[in-house]
Each structure stands twice: as structure tokens, then as C-alpha cells.
Amino acid sequence: NGRAGILARSAWCWMLVASAARGLGLVGTPGVLRRLVHPKKASAVRAMASTPGDAERIATILGQAKVVAVVGHSDKPSRESHRIGMYLRDYYAVYPVNPALDTIEGYPKVYKSLAEVPGPIDIVDVFRRSEFLDGVVEEAVAVGAGAVWAQLGVADDAARERASKAGLAYVEDRCIFVEHQKWLPAAPPPPGSTRNG
């Protein structure tokens, strides 16, 4: 069924949830991505990570967005930032942001900062450690982004407070792939979306 399919397709993402929950600091390591989580355990972790009232807000952020900037996009296909970035390209115009890289296969350009991304950004998807999140939020506010989405295991009180004061939509410690699969699995990709960014 659909729920089982979501769990099967995103087992590696659930492993990151479990790692974060156990406080092992394993977010982003290739070894984590190679291990699988039993669907029942994944479901339990998911239930603990869910917050009542978030569903409509998250569905709105994902459903209204057209442009996503992926901060910390890796050039390594084994990394979750790369895999999720490529997935998002089927639904949004995706711009990779990584000051340490000059090229990523499949993209015409890699941007050094959010300020370099052309046009408005609807979602800033963050694949950086928690200590860097507040700085990313500051950048996002400066460029007028619509929302900041911090991936699994990424959360910061100062970043949350800064986003709140600026009126910036903010999601932390959530996998955008899992949430997109959950709320918008049948959403048709916009024409030419995989050619953007």
C-alpha cells in the first residue's frame, strides 16, 4: 500500500531520524545511508517526531513552493543532500548552494551563497550542522526567502527565534523527502522543473 511504499523508499532517511533520536551525531555519514530501518521501528520514530498541528503548515509550505535552494548540496551521489536535491528537482526549480564546490553533475551552476541565487527563494533546505543553522537563517531573512527547512538532526534555538522574529516560515529536524512523499506524493511536477537550477 502507499504507506508501506513510502517507508520502503525512504528507509535511509528514517535511519537519520533514528540516529538523531539516539544522539549519535551520525547525520550525513555514508555508513548511515547504507543501513536500513525496519518499517515498524521507522513508524515509531516518525510518530515521536511528529507534532500535532504541523500537517497543514508543512503541506502548505511544500505545496505552494516553486523554488528551493539546497544549502550544503553535496556532489557525492551517496550523500542524502545529493539524493534529496535530485528528488526535489522533479517538483521544483532547485539551486544548489555550497561555497566549497564549483560544479555538481546535472546542474549548470553551483552558488556560493543564497545571495547569488537568482530570483525569489520559496524554501531554503539546509543540510548543514546545527551550529551553522542560525547563520543560514540570517541569510534567508536577508534575501527574503519564504521558508527555511532544516533537515533531520538539524535544529537550533537561536535560528528558530530569529526566524520567528522575522516572520519566516520555519521547519527543523524533518526530512523534506519524507514529508513531500507523505503530503504531496501525487503532485505533478511543473513543466521543465528538472531543467531548472
Side-chain angles (χ1 to χ4, degrees):
N1 57 37
R3 181 176 176 79
I6 291 172
L7 290 173
R9 290 192 301 271
S10 59
W12 53 272
C13 207
W14 288 122
M15 189 64 235
L16 296 183
V17 183
S19 297
R22 290 195 305 267
L24 297 181
L26 296 178
V27 173
T29 60
V32 170
L33 300 179
R34 289 195 292 268
R35 297 205 295 272
L36 299 179
V37 173
H38 189 280
K40 290 184 179 178
K41 293 182 180 178
S43 180
V45 173
R46 183 182 196 177
M48 288 188 294
S50 297
T51 303
D54 274 357
E56 183 176 351
R57 182 174 67 94
I58 287 175
T60 298
I61 291 172
L62 294 173
Q64 293 183 349
K66 295 181 179 179
V67 177
V68 178
V70 179
V71 176
H73 197 310
S74 175
D75 59 349
K76 296 178 175 61
S78 63
R79 300 299 294 270
E80 73 271 14
S81 62
H82 187 281
R83 297 167 73 171
I84 290 176
M86 290 300 177
Y87 167 82
L88 292 174
R89 292 185 76 194
D90 286 337
Y91 300 90
Y92 308 101
V94 174
Y95 294 91
V97 178
N98 192 327
L101 298 176
D102 294 320
T103 60
I104 296 176
E105 186 175 356
Y107 291 97
K109 182 177 180 179
V110 179
Y111 299 86
K112 302 300 182 182
S113 67
L114 292 178
E116 290 188 6
V117 175
I121 302 170
D122 297 311
I123 300 175
V124 177
D125 189 18
V126 186
F127 286 89
R128 298 210 65 196
R129 294 196 304 272
S130 297
E131 59 262 38
F132 298 113
L133 183 56
D134 188 38
V136 176
V137 171
E138 184 176 17
E139 277 193 76
V141 171
V143 301
V148 167
W149 189 298
Q151 285 291 140
L152 290 173
V154 182
D156 181 74
D157 291 342
R160 190 184 315 113
E161 183 177 356
R162 185 186 297 276
S164 178
K165 288 182 178 179
L168 182 68
Y170 181 82
V171 178
E172 65 179 18
D173 197 19
R174 292 286 186 99
C175 178
I176 197 169
F177 167 75
V178 171
E179 297 299 332
H180 190 274
Q181 286 279 300
K182 180 179 179 181
W183 300 113
L184 302 171
S193 59
T194 57
R195 303 300 180 189
N196 294 329

PDB file of all heavy atoms in Angstrom, residues 138-173:
ATOM      1  N   GLU A 138      19.816  33.693   8.965  1.00  0.00           N
ATOM      2  CA  GLU A 138      20.128  35.116   8.778  1.00  0.00           C
ATOM      3  C   GLU A 138      20.227  35.453   7.286  1.00  0.00           C
ATOM      4  O   GLU A 138      19.694  36.477   6.828  1.00  0.00           O
ATOM      5  CB  GLU A 138      21.433  35.465   9.487  1.00  0.00           C
ATOM      6  CG  GLU A 138      21.789  36.945   9.442  1.00  0.00           C
ATOM      7  CD  GLU A 138      23.031  37.264  10.240  1.00  0.00           C
ATOM      8  OE1 GLU A 138      23.794  36.332  10.569  1.00  0.00           O
ATOM      9  OE2 GLU A 138      23.257  38.459  10.532  1.00  0.00           O
ATOM     10  N   GLU A 139      20.903  34.596   6.532  1.00  0.00           N
ATOM     11  CA  GLU A 139      20.989  34.786   5.079  1.00  0.00           C
ATOM     12  C   GLU A 139      19.617  34.712   4.431  1.00  0.00           C
ATOM     13  O   GLU A 139      19.290  35.502   3.530  1.00  0.00           O
ATOM     14  CB  GLU A 139      21.879  33.713   4.458  1.00  0.00           C
ATOM     15  CG  GLU A 139      23.360  33.961   4.503  1.00  0.00           C
ATOM     16  CD  GLU A 139      24.094  32.990   3.590  1.00  0.00           C
ATOM     17  OE1 GLU A 139      24.058  33.192   2.354  1.00  0.00           O
ATOM     18  OE2 GLU A 139      24.683  32.023   4.106  1.00  0.00           O
ATOM     19  N   ALA A 140      18.826  33.756   4.863  1.00  0.00           N
ATOM     20  CA  ALA A 140      17.500  33.560   4.287  1.00  0.00           C
ATOM     21  C   ALA A 140      16.611  34.776   4.514  1.00  0.00           C
ATOM     22  O   ALA A 140      15.864  35.207   3.619  1.00  0.00           O
ATOM     23  CB  ALA A 140      16.845  32.312   4.877  1.00  0.00           C
ATOM     24  N   VAL A 141      16.695  35.336   5.699  1.00  0.00           N
ATOM     25  CA  VAL A 141      15.934  36.554   6.002  1.00  0.00           C
ATOM     26  C   VAL A 141      16.406  37.696   5.111  1.00  0.00           C
ATOM     27  O   VAL A 141      15.597  38.467   4.560  1.00  0.00           O
ATOM     28  CB  VAL A 141      16.086  36.932   7.497  1.00  0.00           C
ATOM     29  CG1 VAL A 141      15.475  38.312   7.758  1.00  0.00           C
ATOM     30  CG2 VAL A 141      15.427  35.885   8.386  1.00  0.00           C
ATOM     31  N   ALA A 142      17.717  37.816   4.934  1.00  0.00           N
ATOM     32  CA  ALA A 142      18.289  38.913   4.148  1.00  0.00           C
ATOM     33  C   ALA A 142      17.844  38.864   2.683  1.00  0.00           C
ATOM     34  O   ALA A 142      17.663  39.916   2.056  1.00  0.00           O
ATOM     35  CB  ALA A 142      19.814  38.877   4.231  1.00  0.00           C
ATOM     36  N   VAL A 143      17.677  37.660   2.135  1.00  0.00           N
ATOM     37  CA  VAL A 143      17.285  37.551   0.721  1.00  0.00           C
ATOM     38  C   VAL A 143      15.775  37.461   0.548  1.00  0.00           C
ATOM     39  O   VAL A 143      15.288  37.367  -0.575  1.00  0.00           O
ATOM     40  CB  VAL A 143      17.957  36.341   0.039  1.00  0.00           C
ATOM     41  CG1 VAL A 143      19.469  36.460   0.115  1.00  0.00           C
ATOM     42  CG2 VAL A 143      17.474  35.011   0.620  1.00  0.00           C
ATOM     43  N   GLY A 144      15.034  37.471   1.652  1.00  0.00           N
ATOM     44  CA  GLY A 144      13.578  37.436   1.557  1.00  0.00           C
ATOM     45  C   GLY A 144      13.010  36.074   1.207  1.00  0.00           C
ATOM     46  O   GLY A 144      11.970  35.979   0.546  1.00  0.00           O
ATOM     47  N   ALA A 145      13.670  35.017   1.657  1.00  0.00           N
ATOM     48  CA  ALA A 145      13.175  33.663   1.389  1.00  0.00           C
ATOM     49  C   ALA A 145      11.839  33.436   2.090  1.00  0.00           C
ATOM     50  O   ALA A 145      11.524  34.091   3.091  1.00  0.00           O
ATOM     51  CB  ALA A 145      14.195  32.627   1.862  1.00  0.00           C
ATOM     52  N   GLY A 146      11.076  32.493   1.561  1.00  0.00           N
ATOM     53  CA  GLY A 146       9.759  32.229   2.126  1.00  0.00           C
ATOM     54  C   GLY A 146       9.796  31.321   3.340  1.00  0.00           C
ATOM     55  O   GLY A 146       8.971  31.450   4.247  1.00  0.00           O
ATOM     56  N   ALA A 147      10.735  30.383   3.354  1.00  0.00           N
ATOM     57  CA  ALA A 147      10.789  29.415   4.450  1.00  0.00           C
ATOM     58  C   ALA A 147      12.188  28.831   4.565  1.00  0.00           C
ATOM     59  O   ALA A 147      12.931  28.782   3.584  1.00  0.00           O
ATOM     60  CB  ALA A 147       9.777  28.288   4.215  1.00  0.00           C
ATOM     61  N   VAL A 148      12.519  28.384   5.762  1.00  0.00           N
ATOM     62  CA  VAL A 148      13.744  27.617   5.992  1.00  0.00           C
ATOM     63  C   VAL A 148      13.345  26.234   6.470  1.00  0.00           C
ATOM     64  O   VAL A 148      12.509  26.097   7.377  1.00  0.00           O
ATOM     65  CB  VAL A 148      14.659  28.288   7.039  1.00  0.00           C
ATOM     66  CG1 VAL A 148      15.756  27.327   7.488  1.00  0.00           C
ATOM     67  CG2 VAL A 148      15.279  29.553   6.475  1.00  0.00           C
ATOM     68  N   TRP A 149      13.932  25.223   5.846  1.00  0.00           N
ATOM     69  CA  TRP A 149      13.656  23.835   6.213  1.00  0.00           C
ATOM     70  C   TRP A 149      14.973  23.180   6.618  1.00  0.00           C
ATOM     71  O   TRP A 149      15.843  22.933   5.790  1.00  0.00           O
ATOM     72  CB  TRP A 149      13.044  23.089   5.030  1.00  0.00           C
ATOM     73  CG  TRP A 149      12.527  21.724   5.380  1.00  0.00           C
ATOM     74  CD1 TRP A 149      13.250  20.664   5.853  1.00  0.00           C
ATOM     75  CD2 TRP A 149      11.176  21.270   5.289  1.00  0.00           C
ATOM     76  NE1 TRP A 149      12.439  19.581   6.063  1.00  0.00           N
ATOM     77  CE2 TRP A 149      11.156  19.928   5.732  1.00  0.00           C
ATOM     78  CE3 TRP A 149       9.979  21.869   4.875  1.00  0.00           C
ATOM     79  CZ2 TRP A 149       9.991  19.164   5.761  1.00  0.00           C
ATOM     80  CZ3 TRP A 149       8.815  21.118   4.917  1.00  0.00           C
ATOM     81  CH2 TRP A 149       8.824  19.788   5.355  1.00  0.00           C
ATOM     82  N   ALA A 150      15.129  22.883   7.908  1.00  0.00           N
ATOM     83  CA  ALA A 150      16.334  22.233   8.409  1.00  0.00           C
ATOM     84  C   ALA A 150      16.105  20.728   8.448  1.00  0.00           C
ATOM     85  O   ALA A 150      15.120  20.259   9.011  1.00  0.00           O
ATOM     86  CB  ALA A 150      16.678  22.756   9.795  1.00  0.00           C
ATOM     87  N   GLN A 151      17.019  19.990   7.854  1.00  0.00           N
ATOM     88  CA  GLN A 151      16.851  18.547   7.700  1.00  0.00           C
ATOM     89  C   GLN A 151      16.967  17.806   9.044  1.00  0.00           C
ATOM     90  O   GLN A 151      17.216  18.401  10.077  1.00  0.00           O
ATOM     91  CB  GLN A 151      17.882  18.021   6.703  1.00  0.00           C
ATOM     92  CG  GLN A 151      17.557  18.357   5.251  1.00  0.00           C
ATOM     93  CD  GLN A 151      16.332  17.612   4.739  1.00  0.00           C
ATOM     94  OE1 GLN A 151      15.514  18.181   4.014  1.00  0.00           O
ATOM     95  NE2 GLN A 151      16.198  16.345   5.075  1.00  0.00           N
ATOM     96  N   LEU A 152      16.773  16.501   8.978  1.00  0.00           N
ATOM     97  CA  LEU A 152      16.790  15.672  10.179  1.00  0.00           C
ATOM     98  C   LEU A 152      18.071  15.856  10.987  1.00  0.00           C
ATOM     99  O   LEU A 152      19.166  15.857  10.436  1.00  0.00           O
ATOM    100  CB  LEU A 152      16.666  14.197   9.790  1.00  0.00           C
ATOM    101  CG  LEU A 152      15.302  13.767   9.260  1.00  0.00           C
ATOM    102  CD1 LEU A 152      15.373  12.340   8.765  1.00  0.00           C
ATOM    103  CD2 LEU A 152      14.256  13.913  10.328  1.00  0.00           C
ATOM    104  N   GLY A 153      17.903  16.015  12.295  1.00  0.00           N
ATOM    105  CA  GLY A 153      19.050  16.186  13.168  1.00  0.00           C
ATOM    106  C   GLY A 153      19.585  17.595  13.205  1.00  0.00           C
ATOM    107  O   GLY A 153      20.558  17.864  13.913  1.00  0.00           O
ATOM    108  N   VAL A 154      18.973  18.510  12.459  1.00  0.00           N
ATOM    109  CA  VAL A 154      19.441  19.894  12.402  1.00  0.00           C
ATOM    110  C   VAL A 154      18.410  20.785  13.091  1.00  0.00           C
ATOM    111  O   VAL A 154      17.269  20.916  12.634  1.00  0.00           O
ATOM    112  CB  VAL A 154      19.652  20.360  10.942  1.00  0.00           C
ATOM    113  CG1 VAL A 154      20.182  21.794  10.919  1.00  0.00           C
ATOM    114  CG2 VAL A 154      20.594  19.420  10.220  1.00  0.00           C
ATOM    115  N   ALA A 155      18.806  21.396  14.206  1.00  0.00           N
ATOM    116  CA  ALA A 155      17.903  22.254  14.969  1.00  0.00           C
ATOM    117  C   ALA A 155      18.735  23.219  15.808  1.00  0.00           C
ATOM    118  O   ALA A 155      19.846  22.892  16.231  1.00  0.00           O
ATOM    119  CB  ALA A 155      17.005  21.415  15.874  1.00  0.00           C
ATOM    120  N   ASP A 156      18.179  24.406  16.052  1.00  0.00           N
ATOM    121  CA  ASP A 156      18.923  25.402  16.815  1.00  0.00           C
ATOM    122  C   ASP A 156      17.966  26.439  17.385  1.00  0.00           C
ATOM    123  O   ASP A 156      17.126  26.986  16.657  1.00  0.00           O
ATOM    124  CB  ASP A 156      19.961  26.093  15.923  1.00  0.00           C
ATOM    125  CG  ASP A 156      20.780  27.120  16.669  1.00  0.00           C
ATOM    126  OD1 ASP A 156      21.652  26.728  17.462  1.00  0.00           O
ATOM    127  OD2 ASP A 156      20.535  28.330  16.454  1.00  0.00           O
ATOM    128  N   ASP A 157      18.064  26.704  18.680  1.00  0.00           N
ATOM    129  CA  ASP A 157      17.157  27.645  19.333  1.00  0.00           C
ATOM    130  C   ASP A 157      17.286  29.053  18.771  1.00  0.00           C
ATOM    131  O   ASP A 157      16.290  29.739  18.539  1.00  0.00           O
ATOM    132  CB  ASP A 157      17.435  27.675  20.841  1.00  0.00           C
ATOM    133  CG  ASP A 157      17.035  26.374  21.528  1.00  0.00           C
ATOM    134  OD1 ASP A 157      16.251  25.609  20.946  1.00  0.00           O
ATOM    135  OD2 ASP A 157      17.531  26.132  22.657  1.00  0.00           O
ATOM    136  N   ALA A 158      18.529  29.496  18.555  1.00  0.00           N
ATOM    137  CA  ALA A 158      18.743  30.854  18.049  1.00  0.00           C
ATOM    138  C   ALA A 158      18.177  31.005  16.644  1.00  0.00           C
ATOM    139  O   ALA A 158      17.576  32.038  16.310  1.00  0.00           O
ATOM    140  CB  ALA A 158      20.235  31.187  18.059  1.00  0.00           C
ATOM    141  N   ALA A 159      18.344  29.981  15.815  1.00  0.00           N
ATOM    142  CA  ALA A 159      17.818  30.018  14.450  1.00  0.00           C
ATOM    143  C   ALA A 159      16.297  30.085  14.472  1.00  0.00           C
ATOM    144  O   ALA A 159      15.672  30.836  13.710  1.00  0.00           O
ATOM    145  CB  ALA A 159      18.285  28.796  13.675  1.00  0.00           C
ATOM    146  N   ARG A 160      15.701  29.282  15.345  1.00  0.00           N
ATOM    147  CA  ARG A 160      14.240  29.257  15.466  1.00  0.00           C
ATOM    148  C   ARG A 160      13.711  30.618  15.895  1.00  0.00           C
ATOM    149  O   ARG A 160      12.724  31.123  15.359  1.00  0.00           O
ATOM    150  CB  ARG A 160      13.828  28.174  16.457  1.00  0.00           C
ATOM    151  CG  ARG A 160      12.340  27.874  16.489  1.00  0.00           C
ATOM    152  CD  ARG A 160      11.987  26.858  17.573  1.00  0.00           C
ATOM    153  NE  ARG A 160      12.918  25.737  17.574  1.00  0.00           N
ATOM    154  CZ  ARG A 160      13.770  25.492  18.566  1.00  0.00           C
ATOM    155  NH1 ARG A 160      13.829  26.295  19.620  1.00  0.00           N
ATOM    156  NH2 ARG A 160      14.575  24.435  18.507  1.00  0.00           N
ATOM    157  N   GLU A 161      14.391  31.220  16.876  1.00  0.00           N
ATOM    158  CA  GLU A 161      13.965  32.536  17.374  1.00  0.00           C
ATOM    159  C   GLU A 161      14.133  33.606  16.298  1.00  0.00           C
ATOM    160  O   GLU A 161      13.270  34.470  16.129  1.00  0.00           O
ATOM    161  CB  GLU A 161      14.772  32.900  18.615  1.00  0.00           C
ATOM    162  CG  GLU A 161      14.355  34.214  19.237  1.00  0.00           C
ATOM    163  CD  GLU A 161      15.119  34.523  20.519  1.00  0.00           C
ATOM    164  OE1 GLU A 161      15.921  33.674  20.948  1.00  0.00           O
ATOM    165  OE2 GLU A 161      14.926  35.627  21.063  1.00  0.00           O
ATOM    166  N   ARG A 162      15.251  33.545  15.562  1.00  0.00           N
ATOM    167  CA  ARG A 162      15.485  34.532  14.510  1.00  0.00           C
ATOM    168  C   ARG A 162      14.410  34.436  13.421  1.00  0.00           C
ATOM    169  O   ARG A 162      13.889  35.449  12.950  1.00  0.00           O
ATOM    170  CB  ARG A 162      16.865  34.328  13.882  1.00  0.00           C
ATOM    171  CG  ARG A 162      17.238  35.401  12.846  1.00  0.00           C
ATOM    172  CD  ARG A 162      18.553  35.069  12.152  1.00  0.00           C
ATOM    173  NE  ARG A 162      19.674  35.040  13.072  1.00  0.00           N
ATOM    174  CZ  ARG A 162      20.360  36.114  13.447  1.00  0.00           C
ATOM    175  NH1 ARG A 162      20.023  37.308  12.969  1.00  0.00           N
ATOM    176  NH2 ARG A 162      21.381  35.997  14.288  1.00  0.00           N
ATOM    177  N   ALA A 163      14.078  33.206  13.040  1.00  0.00           N
ATOM    178  CA  ALA A 163      13.047  33.005  12.019  1.00  0.00           C
ATOM    179  C   ALA A 163      11.698  33.515  12.502  1.00  0.00           C
ATOM    180  O   ALA A 163      10.953  34.160  11.756  1.00  0.00           O
ATOM    181  CB  ALA A 163      12.964  31.523  11.657  1.00  0.00           C
ATOM    182  N   SER A 164      11.382  33.241  13.759  1.00  0.00           N
ATOM    183  CA  SER A 164      10.106  33.681  14.321  1.00  0.00           C
ATOM    184  C   SER A 164       9.997  35.201  14.339  1.00  0.00           C
ATOM    185  O   SER A 164       8.972  35.771  13.955  1.00  0.00           O
ATOM    186  CB  SER A 164       9.960  33.125  15.743  1.00  0.00           C
ATOM    187  OG  SER A 164       8.761  33.575  16.342  1.00  0.00           O
ATOM    188  N   LYS A 165      11.062  35.866  14.770  1.00  0.00           N
ATOM    189  CA  LYS A 165      11.051  37.335  14.824  1.00  0.00           C
ATOM    190  C   LYS A 165      10.919  37.954  13.439  1.00  0.00           C
ATOM    191  O   LYS A 165      10.340  39.030  13.286  1.00  0.00           O
ATOM    192  CB  LYS A 165      12.333  37.835  15.503  1.00  0.00           C
ATOM    193  CG  LYS A 165      12.372  37.587  16.996  1.00  0.00           C
ATOM    194  CD  LYS A 165      13.648  38.150  17.611  1.00  0.00           C
ATOM    195  CE  LYS A 165      13.674  37.955  19.123  1.00  0.00           C
ATOM    196  NZ  LYS A 165      14.926  38.480  19.734  1.00  0.00           N
ATOM    197  N   ALA A 166      11.466  37.263  12.431  1.00  0.00           N
ATOM    198  CA  ALA A 166      11.418  37.786  11.065  1.00  0.00           C
ATOM    199  C   ALA A 166      10.135  37.388  10.336  1.00  0.00           C
ATOM    200  O   ALA A 166       9.915  37.809   9.195  1.00  0.00           O
ATOM    201  CB  ALA A 166      12.629  37.292  10.281  1.00  0.00           C
ATOM    202  N   GLY A 167       9.309  36.569  10.976  1.00  0.00           N
ATOM    203  CA  GLY A 167       8.087  36.103  10.318  1.00  0.00           C
ATOM    204  C   GLY A 167       8.358  35.092   9.222  1.00  0.00           C
ATOM    205  O   GLY A 167       7.570  34.955   8.285  1.00  0.00           O
ATOM    206  N   LEU A 168       9.476  34.381   9.353  1.00  0.00           N
ATOM    207  CA  LEU A 168       9.883  33.409   8.334  1.00  0.00           C
ATOM    208  C   LEU A 168       9.348  32.033   8.699  1.00  0.00           C
ATOM    209  O   LEU A 168       9.537  31.563   9.827  1.00  0.00           O
ATOM    210  CB  LEU A 168      11.416  33.372   8.269  1.00  0.00           C
ATOM    211  CG  LEU A 168      12.079  32.452   7.248  1.00  0.00           C
ATOM    212  CD1 LEU A 168      11.817  32.931   5.829  1.00  0.00           C
ATOM    213  CD2 LEU A 168      13.588  32.393   7.517  1.00  0.00           C
ATOM    214  N   ALA A 169       8.684  31.384   7.757  1.00  0.00           N
ATOM    215  CA  ALA A 169       8.215  30.017   7.990  1.00  0.00           C
ATOM    216  C   ALA A 169       9.431  29.136   8.281  1.00  0.00           C
ATOM    217  O   ALA A 169      10.460  29.251   7.609  1.00  0.00           O
ATOM    218  CB  ALA A 169       7.452  29.507   6.775  1.00  0.00           C
ATOM    219  N   TYR A 170       9.297  28.251   9.258  1.00  0.00           N
ATOM    220  CA  TYR A 170      10.470  27.528   9.739  1.00  0.00           C
ATOM    221  C   TYR A 170      10.099  26.095  10.110  1.00  0.00           C
ATOM    222  O   TYR A 170       9.141  25.850  10.832  1.00  0.00           O
ATOM    223  CB  TYR A 170      11.038  28.259  10.956  1.00  0.00           C
ATOM    224  CG  TYR A 170      12.274  27.656  11.562  1.00  0.00           C
ATOM    225  CD1 TYR A 170      13.530  27.922  11.019  1.00  0.00           C
ATOM    226  CD2 TYR A 170      12.195  26.837  12.685  1.00  0.00           C
ATOM    227  CE1 TYR A 170      14.684  27.382  11.585  1.00  0.00           C
ATOM    228  CE2 TYR A 170      13.339  26.303  13.264  1.00  0.00           C
ATOM    229  CZ  TYR A 170      14.571  26.573  12.711  1.00  0.00           C
ATOM    230  OH  TYR A 170      15.706  26.039  13.276  1.00  0.00           O
ATOM    231  N   VAL A 171      10.878  25.152   9.582  1.00  0.00           N
ATOM    232  CA  VAL A 171      10.713  23.733   9.913  1.00  0.00           C
ATOM    233  C   VAL A 171      12.094  23.195  10.261  1.00  0.00           C
ATOM    234  O   VAL A 171      13.062  23.461   9.552  1.00  0.00           O
ATOM    235  CB  VAL A 171      10.136  22.938   8.721  1.00  0.00           C
ATOM    236  CG1 VAL A 171      10.011  21.454   9.075  1.00  0.00           C
ATOM    237  CG2 VAL A 171       8.789  23.493   8.286  1.00  0.00           C
ATOM    238  N   GLU A 172      12.204  22.446  11.359  1.00  0.00           N
ATOM    239  CA  GLU A 172      13.501  21.883  11.712  1.00  0.00           C
ATOM    240  C   GLU A 172      13.364  20.410  12.065  1.00  0.00           C
ATOM    241  O   GLU A 172      12.279  19.933  12.406  1.00  0.00           O
ATOM    242  CB  GLU A 172      14.138  22.644  12.872  1.00  0.00           C
ATOM    243  CG  GLU A 172      13.386  22.554  14.182  1.00  0.00           C
ATOM    244  CD  GLU A 172      14.074  23.302  15.312  1.00  0.00           C
ATOM    245  OE1 GLU A 172      14.947  24.169  15.043  1.00  0.00           O
ATOM    246  OE2 GLU A 172      13.737  23.019  16.480  1.00  0.00           O
ATOM    247  N   ASP A 173      14.487  19.699  11.936  1.00  0.00           N
ATOM    248  CA  ASP A 173      14.550  18.285  12.307  1.00  0.00           C
ATOM    249  C   ASP A 173      13.505  17.453  11.563  1.00  0.00           C
ATOM    250  O   ASP A 173      12.883  16.565  12.145  1.00  0.00           O
ATOM    251  CB  ASP A 173      14.386  18.140  13.824  1.00  0.00           C
ATOM    252  CG  ASP A 173      14.856  16.785  14.324  1.00  0.00           C
ATOM    253  OD1 ASP A 173      15.616  16.113  13.605  1.00  0.00           O
ATOM    254  OD2 ASP A 173      14.460  16.392  15.444  1.00  0.00           O
TER     255      ASP A 173
END
